Amino acid sequence: MSTTTPAAPTSALSTSRTAATAARVLRQLRHDPRTIALMILIPCLMLILLRYVFDASPRTFDNIGASLLGIFPLITMFLVTSIATLRERTSGTLERLLAMPLGKADLIAGYALAFGALAIVQSALATGLAVWLLGLDVTGSPWLLLLVALLDALLGTALGLFVSAFAASEFQAVQFMPAVIFPQLLLCGLFTPRSDMHPVLTAVSDVLPMSYAVDGMNQVLHHTDMTATFVRDVLIVAGCAVLVLALGAATLRRRTA
Amino acid sequence: MMNYAVQADGLTVARGPRTVLRHLRFTVPRGQITGLLGPSGCGKSTLMRSIVGTQAKVTGTLNVLGHPAGHPTLRSRIGYVTQAPSVYDDLTVRQNLEYFAAILAPGRPAADRRHEADRVLADVDLTSHADALAGNLSGGQRGRVSLAVALLGTPELLVLDEPTVGLDPVLRRDLWTLFHDIAATRGATLLVSSHVMDEAERCHRLLLMREGEILADDTPDALRTRTGTDTVEAAFLRLVDEAAAAHRTQQTTRAQETTR
Ligand SMILES: Nc1ncnc2c1ncn2[C@@H]1O[C@H](COP(=O)(O)OP(=O)(O)O)[C@@H](O)[C@H]1O
Ligand SMILES: [Mg+2]
């Protein structure tokens, strides 16, 4: 018996399929300029707002502003990814892609790459605005702020991909945002230091990735060099992103009921 | 070389709590157009999803192009059109085609992909809409984009789920001409489903389905001759009546046996 066509390989990760997928996701967004504008402008507007809310206390603006630089990319990418992958599931394009020689890792890496690129633009603008125009006082390098922001964006993409498997409609997908993001927002140390919370909540916040994202931002804010804590924070956020991406991959099934 | 593109035996599929396909046994010969006909809800889409390997809970034997259905090497050898058009609404027709072409055959020059997109666009008569957003097309046009995606590459087996539903008669005729052309010139196998019986006359062979079972597996001519009818629709009705009658006698004999 012979197979006539040399079957295109479906290896774990194909760079050209990943690149094609990332380009496709960005092309889809390009047909929706309003979404791009909102994604990029809203963090900037919020920072400006924050700057004048804390007009009289620049220290508070430093702390909250730096934390927000890490939180914005996470929330935006979470929302965009969960809706985009949900659409992919409901429109039948996911079924079609998985019946084709596309590896699940290609699809996930493609999404991560496309939204990662967008996150770089978003974070670069927000960080630049905060540091150079709004007078956010960072002791460390703004590049490290950008690095943490990028990892946060990846974490948001990963979480969005994962929860989209549990949403049957866009209404449900949007509801996951308060469910997944809000508790982390309350516990991450943005409102009050994590050590001041009820011990149970401190323990809970110890296992939530956003706590480390915000802590990482604050390390850059207060220290000139990369501290050991900063390295730990970065590794934890990156590790969580990879872990959740793997969980997301497990929710992509070639065979469905 | 095997003679059959698809060969099933004892094929059973459960969806949710229900058994949707029950012990199917049939073959689909290579290089021909086989029509999968039956009323809506009889299990045509489920059968097609099983063949392309996207259906869960499939038991029994199901071989496709010499491999068990769902085998990874089959993914580039089968073209599949889902019943609902599955294309990206926020991409143009050409961008859709070029993306799927890149997935099918990565690493090919962009110019090749462009030519390929042009070819399949001409096949489905959408050249003039190449730069329109898929979301702005009519339902029938989006269906044709979806079909064009399945024509990319040179699939040995095309599984088309109701590709001609909602199209105007001229387009339907053109598509059937295209299907015959693909079978004749490329030697590809086509499995085309429809719930409209008048499409049956255009197929080389028919699988008639009802309620998860195969009523007949024959050529349209043989089917009409065997049932003594003029149309495939009449033949279908005759077969349904016969099956019901057989079922009734079976039940009466069983009832008599138990009372005895
Ligand atoms: N996702 C699903 N979950 C459970 N049952 C389903 C699902 N999709 C279809 N069915 C059932 O399976 C049967 C066959 O459906 P289908 O294969 O779509 O038929 P057809 O394509 O011939 O119209 C129907 O009774 C339908 O209700
Ligand atoms: Mg159907």
Side-chain angles (χ1 to χ4, degrees):
Chain A
M1 212 198 62
S2 65
T3 38
T4 43
T5 321
T10 325
S11 63
L13 192 73
S14 138
T15 35
S16 54
R17 288 192 178 109
T18 303
T21 303
R24 183 264 294 174
V25 172
L26 288 176
R27 224 166 256 147
Q28 281 178 286
L29 273 176
R30 213 173 60 201
H31 288 289
D32 185 3
R34 195 177 301 172
T35 297
I36 300 184
L38 288 170
M39 282 171 79
I40 289 183
L41 288 182
I42 286 180
C44 295
L45 291 176
M46 288 304 115
L47 282 169
I48 296 174
L49 187 69
L50 198 69
R51 161 70 184 76
Y52 293 102
V53 165
F54 293 106
D55 204 24
S57 48
R59 293 294 303 153
T60 320
F61 171 65
D62 288 349
N63 277 319
I64 300 190
S67 304
L68 281 187
L69 283 177
I71 292 170
F72 279 134
L74 202 155
I75 294 184
T76 341
M77 296 309 148
F78 174 84
L79 279 177
V80 182
T81 315
S82 57
I83 303 280
T85 30
L86 181 72
R87 277 195 198 163
E88 188 107 62
R89 284 175 205 272
T90 50
S91 69
T93 47
L94 184 67
E95 178 176 352
R96 162 163 251 155
L97 282 176
L98 292 180
M100 282 184 161
L102 177 78
K104 293 178 198 170
D106 296 335
L107 185 69
I108 290 182
Y111 266 102
L113 216 61
F115 290 143
L118 213 59
I120 290 181
V121 177
Q122 186 200 52
S123 306
L125 276 176
T127 310
L129 176 83
V131 172
W132 286 298
L133 292 181
L134 300 178
L136 187 109
D137 233 342
V138 265
T139 318
S141 157
W143 290 107
L144 294 181
L145 286 186
L146 204 57
L147 172 71
V148 180
L150 183 60
L151 290 176
D152 290 345
L154 278 185
L155 181 64
T157 300
L159 286 170
L161 198 79
F162 181 64
V163 302
S164 79
F166 305 98
S169 69
E170 281 160 359
F171 285 140
Q172 292 181 9
V174 179
Q175 291 311 317
F176 273 112
M177 142 85 170
V180 175
I181 304 287
F182 269 38
Q184 300 201 60
L185 209 55
L186 290 176
L187 296 179
C188 70
L190 178 66
F191 297 102
T192 181
R194 295 198 291 126
S195 50
D196 293 356
M197 296 178 196
H198 188 281
V200 173
L201 292 186
T202 309
V204 172
S205 77
D206 280 345
V207 295
L208 295 177
M210 199 191 278
S211 307
Y212 298 93
V214 166
D215 192 56
M217 286 300 195
N218 281 307
Q219 293 291 321
V220 184
L221 198 64
H222 299 299
H223 303 276
T224 34
D225 307 319
M226 264 201 259
T227 59
T229 318
F230 175 81
V231 174
R232 180 207 64 181
D233 290 341
V234 162
L235 288 179
I236 289 182
V237 175
C240 282
V242 171
L243 184 75
V244 181
L245 277 180
L247 286 177
T251 67
L252 297 177
R253 291 275 149 87
R254 289 202 194 262
R255 288 183 181 271
T256 50
Chain B
M1 202 71 195
M2 318 256 304
N3 295 326
Y4 299 119
V6 181
Q7 181 245 328
D9 197 359
L11 175 65
T12 300
V13 177
R15 289 189 97 161
R18 298 187 46 225
T19 302
V20 174
L21 301 182
R22 256 173 257 107
H23 301 291
L24 301 194
R25 183 193 167 91
F26 65 90
T27 52
V28 174
R30 281 190 190 253
Q32 295 195 346
I33 302 179
T34 300
L36 179 61
L37 275 85
S40 181
C42 72
K44 302 182 295 294
S45 299
T46 307
L47 180 54
M48 294 188 137
R49 280 167 44 85
S50 307
I51 291 172
V52 298
T54 57
Q55 178 66 50
K57 292 198 190 162
V58 180
T59 51
T61 309
L62 182 59
N63 286 317
V64 180
L65 302 174
H67 292 277
H71 192 278
T73 60
L74 292 175
R75 287 182 202 138
S76 52
R77 299 170 66 195
I78 302 178
Y80 170 42
V81 181
T82 48
Q83 184 163 2
S86 46
V87 292
Y88 296 102
D89 281 349
D90 40 9
L91 289 183
T92 67
V93 173
R94 180 179 291 285
Q95 286 169 343
N96 265 291
L97 291 171
E98 289 185 357
Y99 172 58
F100 287 113
I103 296 304
L104 269 179
R108 281 206 352 219
D112 276 15
R113 285 208 289 272
R114 182 160 292 265
H115 284 305
E116 172 115 38
D118 285 334
R119 172 178 66 83
V120 295
L121 274 175
D123 279 349
V124 299
D125 194 22
L126 273 181
T127 308
S128 55
H129 290 78
D131 296 314
L133 274 187
N136 290 345
L137 299 178
S138 73
Q141 288 169 329
R142 287 171 73 242
R144 278 186 283 153
V145 180
S146 197
L147 174 62
V149 174
L151 298 177
L152 291 167
T154 37
E156 294 160 65
L157 171 64
L158 275 167
V159 177
L160 312 178
D161 202 349
E162 311 214 7
T164 57
V165 164
L167 298 184
D168 87 89
V170 179
L171 251 167
R172 245 167 65 166
R173 184 197 57 197
D174 291 351
L175 281 184
W176 276 101
T177 312
L178 171 70
F179 297 161
H180 277 274
D181 187 54
I182 290 171
T185 59
R186 295 187 211 158
T189 308
L190 288 91
L191 182 64
V192 185
S193 76
S194 178
H195 65 265
V196 215
M197 292 289 165
D198 59 354
E199 308 230 275
E201 313 290 343
R202 305 176 187 269
C203 303
H204 298 124
R205 286 193 74 83
L206 296 175
L207 291 171
L208 293 193
M209 264 187 98
R210 186 164 184 271
E211 292 177 357
E213 283 170 16
I214 300 232
L215 287 181
D217 173 359
D218 220 331
T219 65
D221 272 341
L223 206 62
R224 281 189 299 260
T225 317
R226 179 151 65 87
T227 52
T229 49
D230 297 331
T231 61
V232 171
E233 178 150 2
F236 179 82
L237 290 173
R238 177 71 51 90
L239 288 168
V240 171
D241 289 345
E242 280 172 12
H247 190 66
R248 263 197 306 277
T249 20
Q250 219 174 34
Q251 268 181 341
T252 4
T253 34
R254 209 176 289 154
Q256 282 165 351
E257 270 163 14
T258 43
T259 46
R260 216 178 283 154

